[in-house]
Amino acid sequence: MLTENQESLDATISRLTQMQDASCSLSAVPEPQLSDDEWAHIVVNLGGRLGARARGHKSSARSFVEAVLWMAGSNDAYWRCLPIEYGANHSVYVRFSRWVKAGQWDPVLACLPESDARRQGLARMVATHRASLQRKQRYANHQAA
């Protein structure tokens, strides 16, 4: 009896693992999203504290921007599908959201060429997130009235 239950549990775990792998079936090894020249141009345009922090040798800012560019090019993947090499997916999402609220993606978008697919994907992500924030704000204002 115990063996049947164990086999059933093992089969269920295996099936769920395969389903999760299928939902995150994008490339597991991230490719660099930015050249050194592109990153240098973005850092200059970030300005203020963000630019100063991003100039460090071991920059988490570059990894963060590359993580978001990976998401932008991943055809609407879930944040949980973000490769672990970029950091914790929730942390990247929260930082992305804060940058959207602060308008920090505008300089990054300005540094990428108009015809670049990364720019188009990032612009779509930022616009979608801004629209979502505006809907939430309108709903909150409506509830308060």
Side-chain angles (χ1 to χ4, degrees):
M1 182 73 166
L2 181 61
T3 347
E4 288 179 20
N5 288 342
Q6 184 62 37
E7 289 174 2
S8 175
L9 180 62
D10 289 343
T12 302
I13 290 172
S14 175
R15 190 175 70 250
L16 290 173
T17 304
Q18 290 171 354
M19 288 172 54
Q20 183 178 7
D21 291 344
S23 69
C24 295
S25 64
L26 301 169
S27 172
V29 178
E31 297 178 13
Q33 300 292 322
L34 296 168
S35 69
D36 290 337
D37 292 337
E38 288 173 323
W39 176 243
H41 190 58
I42 288 171
V43 167
V44 169
N45 288 318
L46 281 178
R49 291 183 351 184
L50 289 174
R53 287 181 188 168
R55 286 185 187 90
H57 179 269
K58 188 103 171 149
S59 176
S60 67
R62 181 174 183 164
S63 177
F64 162 68
V65 171
E66 288 198 358
V68 174
L69 288 174
W70 185 91
M71 286 297 299
S74 65
N75 298 327
D76 300 326
Y78 295 108
W79 283 96
R80 70 173 182 249
C81 296
L82 185 69
I84 193 66
E85 290 82 6
Y86 288 125
N89 58 15
H90 182 71
S91 298
V92 173
Y93 170 76
V94 168
R95 193 171 179 186
F96 167 76
S97 182
R98 288 180 184 154
W99 277 37
V100 169
K101 290 177 189 174
Q104 289 298 325
W105 287 111
D106 298 332
V108 176
L109 287 167
C111 293
L112 298 172
E114 286 282 334
S115 60
D116 195 336
R118 297 172 301 175
R119 178 186 175 133
Q120 295 165 358
L122 180 59
R124 182 183 41 80
M125 274 180 62
V126 170
T128 302
H129 197 76
R130 279 186 183 144
S132 173
L133 292 173
Q134 290 170 351
R135 281 192 305 274
K136 287 178 185 177
Q137 186 63 44
R138 279 194 306 261
Y139 181 76
N141 290 342
H142 180 71
Q143 293 297 318

